[in-house]
Structures are given as C-alpha cells and as structure tokens.
Coordinates of all heavy atoms in Angstrom, one line a residue:
L21 N 136.6 144.9 126.8 CA 137.4 144.4 127.8 C 136.5 144.5 129.2 O 136.1 145.6 129.6 CB 138.7 145.2 127.9 CG 139.6 144.8 129.1 CD1 140.1 143.4 128.8 CD2 140.8 145.7 129.1
S22 N 136.3 143.4 129.8 CA 135.6 143.4 131.1 C 136.5 143.6 132.3 O 137.7 143.4 132.2 CB 134.9 142.1 131.3 OG 133.8 141.9 130.3
L23 N 135.9 144.1 133.4 CA 136.7 144.4 134.6 C 136.0 143.7 135.8 O 134.8 143.9 136.0 CB 136.8 145.8 134.8 CG 137.4 146.4 136.1 CD1 138.9 145.9 136.2 CD2 137.3 147.9 136.3
S24 N 136.7 143.0 136.6 CA 136.2 142.5 137.9 C 137.0 143.0 139.0 O 138.3 143.0 139.0 CB 136.4 140.9 137.9 OG 135.5 140.4 136.9
L25 N 136.4 143.5 140.0 CA 137.0 144.1 141.2 C 136.6 143.3 142.4 O 135.5 143.2 142.7 CB 136.6 145.6 141.3 CG 137.2 146.4 142.5 CD1 138.7 146.5 142.4 CD2 136.5 147.8 142.5
Y26 N 137.6 142.8 143.1 CA 137.4 142.0 144.4 C 138.0 142.7 145.5 O 139.2 143.1 145.5 CB 138.0 140.7 144.2 CG 137.4 139.8 143.1 CD1 137.8 139.8 141.9 CD2 136.3 138.9 143.4 CE1 137.3 139.1 140.8 CE2 135.8 138.1 142.4 CZ 136.2 138.2 141.2 OH 135.7 137.4 140.2
A27 N 137.2 142.9 146.7 CA 137.8 143.5 147.9 C 137.3 142.6 149.1 O 136.1 142.2 149.1 CB 137.2 144.9 148.0
V28 N 138.3 142.4 150.0 CA 138.0 141.7 151.2 C 137.0 142.4 152.1 O 136.1 141.8 152.7 CB 139.3 141.4 152.0 CG1 139.0 140.7 153.3 CG2 140.2 140.5 151.1
H29 N 137.1 143.7 152.2 CA 136.3 144.5 153.0 C 135.3 145.3 152.1 O 134.6 144.8 151.4 CB 137.1 145.4 153.9 CG 137.9 144.6 154.9 ND1 137.3 143.9 155.9 CD2 139.2 144.4 154.9 CE1 138.3 143.3 156.6 NE2 139.5 143.5 156.0
D30 N 135.4 146.7 152.1 CA 134.5 147.6 151.4 C 135.1 148.0 150.1 O 136.3 148.1 149.9 CB 134.2 148.7 152.3 CG 133.5 148.4 153.6 OD1 132.9 147.3 153.6 OD2 133.6 149.2 154.6
V31 N 134.2 148.3 149.2 CA 134.5 149.0 147.9 C 133.9 150.4 148.1 O 132.6 150.6 148.2 CB 134.0 148.4 146.7 CG1 134.2 149.3 145.4 CG2 134.6 147.0 146.5
V32 N 134.8 151.5 148.0 CA 134.4 152.9 148.1 C 134.8 153.6 146.9 O 136.0 153.6 146.6 CB 135.0 153.6 149.4 CG1 134.6 155.0 149.5 CG2 134.5 152.8 150.6
N33 N 133.9 154.2 146.1 CA 134.2 154.9 145.0 C 133.8 156.4 145.1 O 132.6 156.7 145.3 CB 133.5 154.3 143.7 CG 133.7 155.1 142.5 OD1 134.8 155.5 142.2 ND2 132.7 155.3 141.7
H34 N 134.8 157.3 145.0 CA 134.6 158.7 145.0 C 134.9 159.3 143.7 O 134.8 160.5 143.5 CB 135.5 159.4 146.0 CG 135.2 159.0 147.4 ND1 134.0 158.9 148.1 CD2 136.1 158.5 148.4 CE1 134.2 158.5 149.3 NE2 135.4 158.3 149.5
G35 N 135.1 158.5 142.6 CA 135.5 159.0 141.3 C 134.8 158.2 140.2 O 133.6 158.4 140.0
S36 N 135.6 157.4 139.5 CA 135.0 156.6 138.3 C 135.6 155.2 138.3 O 136.8 155.0 138.3 CB 135.4 157.5 137.1 OG 134.9 156.8 136.0
I37 N 134.7 154.3 138.2 CA 135.0 152.9 137.9 C 134.2 152.5 136.7 O 133.0 152.4 136.7 CB 134.7 151.9 139.1 CG1 135.4 152.3 140.3 CG2 135.0 150.5 138.6 CD1 135.0 151.6 141.5
T38 N 134.9 152.3 135.5 CA 134.2 152.0 134.3 C 134.8 150.8 133.6 O 135.9 150.4 133.8 CB 134.2 153.2 133.3 OG1 135.6 153.5 133.0 CG2 133.6 154.4 134.0
S39 N 134.0 150.2 132.6 CA 134.4 149.0 131.9 C 133.8 149.2 130.5 O 132.7 149.5 130.3 CB 134.0 147.8 132.6 OG 134.3 146.7 131.7
A40 N 134.6 148.8 129.5 CA 134.2 148.8 128.1 C 133.4 147.5 127.8 O 132.9 147.3 126.7 CB 135.4 148.9 127.2
G41 N 133.3 146.6 128.8 CA 132.5 145.3 128.7 C 131.6 145.2 129.9 O 131.0 146.2 130.3
N42 N 131.8 144.1 130.6 CA 131.1 143.9 131.8 C 131.8 144.4 133.0 O 133.0 144.3 133.0 CB 130.8 142.4 132.1 CG 129.8 141.8 131.1 OD1 128.8 142.4 130.8 ND2 130.2 140.6 130.6
L43 N 131.2 144.8 134.0 CA 131.8 145.3 135.3 C 131.3 144.5 136.5 O 130.0 144.5 136.7 CB 131.6 146.9 135.5 CG 132.1 147.5 136.8 CD1 133.6 147.3 136.9 CD2 131.7 148.9 136.9
S44 N 132.1 143.9 137.1 CA 131.7 143.0 138.3 C 132.5 143.5 139.5 O 133.7 143.6 139.6 CB 132.0 141.6 138.1 OG 131.2 141.1 136.9
I45 N 131.7 143.9 140.6 CA 132.3 144.4 141.8 C 131.8 143.5 142.9 O 130.6 143.3 143.2 CB 131.8 145.8 142.1 CG1 132.3 146.7 140.9 CG2 132.4 146.3 143.4 CD1 131.7 148.1 140.9
F46 N 132.8 142.8 143.7 CA 132.5 141.9 144.7 C 133.1 142.5 146.0 O 134.4 142.7 146.1 CB 133.1 140.5 144.5 CG 132.5 139.9 143.2 CD1 133.2 140.1 142.0 CD2 131.4 139.2 143.2 CE1 132.8 139.6 140.9 CE2 130.9 138.6 142.0 CZ 131.6 138.8 140.8
A47 N 132.4 142.8 147.1 CA 132.9 143.3 148.3 C 132.5 142.4 149.4 O 131.4 142.0 149.5 CB 132.4 144.7 148.5
G48 N 133.5 142.1 150.3 CA 133.2 141.3 151.4 C 132.4 142.1 152.4 O 131.6 141.5 153.3
G49 N 132.4 143.4 152.4 CA 131.7 144.3 153.2 C 130.6 145.0 152.4 O 129.7 144.3 151.8
S50 N 130.7 146.3 152.4 CA 129.6 147.1 151.6 C 130.2 147.7 150.4 O 131.4 147.7 150.1 CB 129.1 148.1 152.5 OG 130.2 149.0 152.9
I51 N 129.3 148.2 149.5 CA 129.7 149.0 148.3 C 129.1 150.4 148.5 O 127.9 150.6 148.7 CB 129.1 148.3 147.1 CG1 129.8 147.0 146.9 CG2 129.4 149.2 145.8 CD1 129.2 146.1 145.7
Y52 N 130.0 151.4 148.3 CA 129.6 152.8 148.5 C 130.0 153.6 147.2 O 131.2 153.5 146.8 CB 130.2 153.5 149.8 CG 129.9 154.9 149.9 CD1 128.6 155.3 150.4 CD2 130.8 155.9 149.6 CE1 128.3 156.6 150.4 CE2 130.4 157.2 149.6 CZ 129.2 157.6 150.2 OH 128.8 158.9 150.2
N53 N 129.0 154.2 146.6 CA 129.4 155.0 145.4 C 128.8 156.5 145.7 O 127.6 156.7 145.6 CB 128.7 154.4 144.1 CG 129.0 155.2 142.9 OD1 130.2 155.4 142.6 ND2 128.0 155.5 142.1
G54 N 129.7 157.3 146.1 CA 129.2 158.7 146.5 C 130.5 159.5 146.9 O 131.5 159.1 147.1
L55 N 130.2 160.8 147.0 CA 131.2 161.7 147.5 C 131.4 161.6 149.0 O 130.3 161.3 149.6 CB 130.8 163.2 147.1 CG 131.0 163.5 145.6 CD1 130.4 164.9 145.3 CD2 132.3 163.3 145.0
P56 N 132.5 162.0 149.5 CA 132.7 162.0 151.0 C 131.7 163.1 151.5 O 131.4 164.1 150.9 CB 134.1 162.5 151.2 CG 134.8 162.0 149.9 CD 133.8 162.2 148.8
A57 N 131.3 162.9 152.8 CA 130.4 163.8 153.5 C 130.9 165.2 153.4 O 132.1 165.4 153.7 CB 130.1 163.3 154.9
G58 N 130.1 166.2 153.1 CA 130.5 167.6 153.1 C 131.1 168.1 151.9 O 131.4 169.3 151.7
L59 N 131.4 167.2 150.9 CA 132.0 167.7 149.6 C 130.9 167.7 148.6 O 130.0 166.9 148.5 CB 133.1 166.7 149.2 CG 134.4 166.7 150.0 CD1 135.4 165.7 149.4 CD2 134.9 168.1 150.1
S60 N 131.1 168.6 147.6 CA 130.2 168.7 146.4 C 131.1 168.6 145.2 O 132.3 168.9 145.2 CB 129.4 170.0 146.5 OG 130.3 171.1 146.4
G61 N 130.5 168.3 144.1 CA 131.2 168.2 142.8 C 130.6 167.1 141.9 O 129.4 166.8 142.1
T62 N 131.3 166.7 141.0 CA 130.8 165.7 140.0 C 130.5 164.4 140.7 O 131.3 163.9 141.4 CB 131.8 165.4 138.8 OG1 132.2 166.7 138.3 CG2 131.4 164.5 137.8
P63 N 129.3 163.9 140.4 CA 128.9 162.6 141.1 C 129.8 161.5 140.7 O 130.1 161.3 139.5 CB 127.5 162.4 140.7 CG 127.1 163.5 139.9 CD 128.3 164.4 139.6
P64 N 130.2 160.6 141.6 CA 131.0 159.4 141.2 C 130.2 158.5 140.3 O 128.9 158.5 140.3 CB 131.2 158.7 142.5 CG 131.0 159.7 143.6 CD 130.0 160.7 143.0
V65 N 130.9 157.7 139.4 CA 130.2 156.9 138.4 C 130.8 155.4 138.5 O 132.0 155.2 138.7 CB 130.6 157.4 137.0 CG1 130.1 156.5 135.9 CG2 130.0 158.8 136.9
M66 N 129.8 154.5 138.5 CA 130.2 153.1 138.3 C 129.4 152.7 137.0 O 128.2 152.8 137.0 CB 129.7 152.2 139.4 CG 130.5 152.4 140.6 SD 129.9 151.2 141.9 CE 131.0 151.5 143.3
Q67 N 130.1 152.5 135.9 CA 129.4 152.3 134.6 C 130.0 151.2 133.8 O 131.3 151.0 133.8 CB 129.5 153.6 133.8 CG 128.8 153.5 132.4 CD 128.9 154.8 131.8 OE1 128.3 155.8 132.3 NE2 129.7 154.9 130.7
A68 N 129.2 150.4 133.2 CA 129.6 149.3 132.2 C 129.0 149.5 130.9 O 127.8 149.9 130.9 CB 129.3 147.9 132.8
L69 N 129.6 149.1 129.8 CA 129.0 149.2 128.5 C 128.0 148.1 128.4 O 126.9 148.2 127.8 CB 130.0 149.0 127.4 CG 129.5 149.1 126.0 CD1 128.7 150.4 125.8 CD2 130.6 148.9 125.0
Q70 N 128.3 146.9 129.1 CA 127.4 145.8 129.0 C 126.7 145.6 130.4 O 126.1 146.6 130.9 CB 128.1 144.5 128.6 CG 128.6 144.6 127.2 CD 129.5 143.5 126.7 OE1 130.1 142.8 127.5 NE2 129.7 143.3 125.4
N71 N 126.9 144.5 131.1 CA 126.3 144.3 132.4 C 127.1 144.8 133.6 O 128.3 144.8 133.5 CB 126.0 142.8 132.6 CG 125.0 142.3 131.6 OD1 124.0 142.8 131.4 ND2 125.3 141.1 131.0
L72 N 126.4 145.2 134.6 CA 127.1 145.7 135.8 C 126.6 144.8 137.0 O 125.4 144.8 137.2 CB 126.8 147.2 136.1 CG 127.7 147.8 137.2 CD1 127.8 149.3 136.9 CD2 127.2 147.6 138.6
N73 N 127.4 144.1 137.6 CA 127.1 143.1 138.6 C 127.8 143.6 140.0 O 129.0 143.9 140.0 CB 127.7 141.7 138.3 CG 127.2 141.2 137.0 OD1 126.0 141.1 136.7 ND2 128.1 141.0 136.1
M74 N 127.0 143.7 141.0 CA 127.5 144.1 142.4 C 127.1 143.1 143.4 O 125.9 142.8 143.4 CB 126.9 145.5 142.7 CG 127.4 146.6 141.8 SD 126.8 148.2 142.4 CE 125.1 148.1 142.0
T75 N 128.0 142.6 144.2 CA 127.8 141.7 145.3 C 128.4 142.3 146.5 O 129.6 142.5 146.6 CB 128.3 140.3 145.0 OG1 127.7 139.8 143.7 CG2 128.0 139.4 146.1
A76 N 127.6 142.5 147.6 CA 128.0 143.0 148.9 C 127.8 142.0 150.0 O 126.7 141.5 150.2 CB 127.3 144.3 149.2
G77 N 128.9 141.6 150.5 CA 128.8 140.6 151.6 C 128.0 141.0 152.8 O 127.2 140.2 153.4
S78 N 128.0 142.3 153.1 CA 127.2 142.7 154.2 C 125.7 143.1 153.8 O 124.8 143.3 154.6 CB 127.8 144.1 154.8 OG 127.6 145.1 153.9
G79 N 125.5 143.1 152.4 CA 124.3 143.5 151.9 C 124.0 145.0 151.7 O 123.0 145.3 151.2
A80 N 125.0 145.7 152.1 CA 124.7 147.3 152.1 C 125.4 147.8 150.8 O 126.5 147.7 150.6 CB 125.4 147.9 153.3
I81 N 124.5 148.4 150.0 CA 124.9 149.1 148.7 C 124.4 150.5 148.8 O 123.2 150.6 148.9 CB 124.6 148.4 147.5 CG1 125.2 147.0 147.4 CG2 124.9 149.2 146.3 CD1 124.8 146.1 146.3
T82 N 125.2 151.5 148.9 CA 124.8 152.8 149.0 C 125.2 153.7 147.8 O 126.4 153.6 147.4 CB 125.4 153.6 150.3 OG1 125.1 152.7 151.4 CG2 124.9 155.0 150.5
N83 N 124.3 154.4 147.1 CA 124.6 155.1 145.9 C 124.1 156.5 146.1 O 122.9 156.7 146.3 CB 124.0 154.5 144.8 CG 124.3 155.2 143.5 OD1 125.4 155.7 143.2 ND2 123.3 155.4 142.6
S84 N 125.0 157.5 145.9 CA 124.6 158.9 145.7 C 125.2 159.5 144.5 O 125.4 160.7 144.4 CB 124.8 159.7 147.0 OG 126.2 159.7 147.2
G85 N 125.6 158.6 143.5 CA 126.2 159.0 142.3 C 125.5 158.4 141.2 O 124.2 158.3 141.2
I86 N 126.2 157.8 140.2 CA 125.6 157.2 139.0 C 126.0 155.8 138.9 O 127.2 155.5 138.9 CB 125.9 158.0 137.8 CG1 125.5 159.4 137.8 CG2 125.4 157.3 136.5 CD1 126.1 160.4 136.8
I87 N 125.0 154.9 138.7 CA 125.4 153.5 138.5 C 124.6 153.2 137.2 O 123.3 153.3 137.1 CB 124.8 152.6 139.7 CG1 125.7 152.8 140.9 CG2 125.0 151.1 139.2 CD1 125.2 152.1 142.1
A88 N 125.3 152.7 136.2 CA 124.7 152.6 134.8 C 125.3 151.4 134.1 O 126.5 151.1 134.1 CB 124.9 153.8 134.0
A89 N 124.4 150.7 133.4 CA 124.8 149.6 132.4 C 124.2 150.1 131.0 O 122.9 150.1 130.9 CB 124.2 148.3 132.8
I90 N 125.0 150.5 130.1 CA 124.6 151.2 128.9 C 123.7 150.3 128.0 O 122.6 150.7 127.6 CB 125.8 151.8 128.1 CG1 126.6 152.7 129.0 CG2 125.3 152.5 126.8 CD1 125.9 153.9 129.6
T91 N 124.2 149.1 127.7 CA 123.5 148.2 126.9 C 123.1 146.9 127.6 O 122.6 146.0 126.9 CB 124.3 147.8 125.7 OG1 125.5 147.1 126.0 CG2 124.7 149.0 124.8
G92 N 123.3 146.8 128.9 CA 123.0 145.6 129.6 C 122.1 145.8 130.8 O 121.3 146.7 130.9
N93 N 122.3 144.9 131.8 CA 121.5 145.0 133.0 C 122.4 145.2 134.2 O 123.6 145.1 134.2 CB 120.8 143.5 133.2 CG 119.9 143.2 132.1 OD1 119.0 143.9 131.8 ND2 120.2 142.0 131.6
I94 N 121.7 145.8 135.3 CA 122.3 145.9 136.6 C 121.8 144.8 137.5 O 120.6 144.6 137.7 CB 122.0 147.3 137.1 CG1 122.6 148.4 136.3 CG2 122.6 147.4 138.6 CD1 122.2 149.9 136.7
N95 N 122.7 144.0 138.0 CA 122.4 142.9 138.9 C 123.0 143.2 140.3 O 124.2 143.5 140.4 CB 123.0 141.6 138.3 CG 122.5 141.4 136.9 OD1 121.3 141.2 136.7 ND2 123.3 141.4 135.9
V96 N 122.2 143.0 141.3 CA 122.6 143.3 142.6 C 122.4 142.0 143.5 O 121.3 141.4 143.4 CB 121.9 144.5 143.2 CG1 122.3 144.7 144.7 CG2 122.1 145.7 142.4
A97 N 123.3 141.7 144.3 CA 123.2 140.5 145.2 C 123.8 140.8 146.6 O 124.7 141.6 146.6 CB 123.7 139.3 144.6
N98 N 123.4 140.1 147.5 CA 124.1 140.1 148.8 C 124.3 138.7 149.3 O 123.7 137.7 148.8 CB 123.3 140.9 149.9 CG 121.9 140.4 150.2 OD1 121.6 139.3 149.9 ND2 121.2 141.1 150.9
Q99 N 125.3 138.5 150.2 CA 125.6 137.2 150.7 C 125.3 137.1 152.2 O 125.3 137.9 152.9 CB 127.1 136.9 150.4 CG 127.4 136.9 149.0 CD 128.9 136.6 148.7 OE1 129.7 136.9 149.5 NE2 129.2 136.2 147.5

C-alpha cells in the first residue's frame, strides 16, 4: 500500500512516516525530518519499502533523522 502526503505549506516530521509501498511527500514549502530544537530521543523516520519521493516547493529539505527506501530509490526534487 503506497502513501502520498500533500501539504500546501511545510511538512514537519518529528516521529514516523512510513509506507509498505511507495512514499511520496509533496510540500508547497519545505520538508523537515528531525526532532525539535533542544530535544533528544529516537530520530524521526521517513521510510518506504519501495521508492521514496520528496518534492519541496521552496527547495529546502532538512534531515537530522532517517530517510530510507528499503528496496527502491530516494528521489528529491524542488519546484
């Protein structure tokens, strides 16, 4: 089962966004995968079993967690 996530502004992940198929994330602004400033703990995860596609309208993708495509590719684009 694939998952597509669309946001008019930013996509902010402090936990887990996963898919048993493809994962596609489209943000009109930026994509942020990390813990809030000053917090420590388990790193946030964006993971797909197949392909992981990320498109950020502002072109800003920030990662301080885990971004993974287990059996596929990670594709990044900006608009």
Side-chain angles (χ1 to χ4, degrees):
L21 181 62
S22 294
L23 173 65
S24 295
L25 177 64
Y26 296 87
V28 173
H29 296 290
D30 300 333
V31 172
V32 177
N33 179 42
H34 298 309
S36 180
I37 301 173
T38 62
S39 174
N42 294 316
L43 175 59
S44 298
I45 301 171
F46 303 92
S50 64
I51 297 173
Y52 177 76
N53 185 51
L55 292 173
L59 291 182
S60 62
T62 304
V65 175
M66 290 183 178
Q67 178 176 296
L69 181 59
Q70 296 171 341
N71 296 313
L72 195 153
N73 306 298
M74 294 184 290
T75 303
S78 71
I81 298 175
T82 304
N83 179 46
S84 59
I86 298 168
I87 295 177
I90 304 303
T91 63
N93 298 307
I94 298 173
N95 304 297
V96 178
N98 62 10
Q99 296 177 338

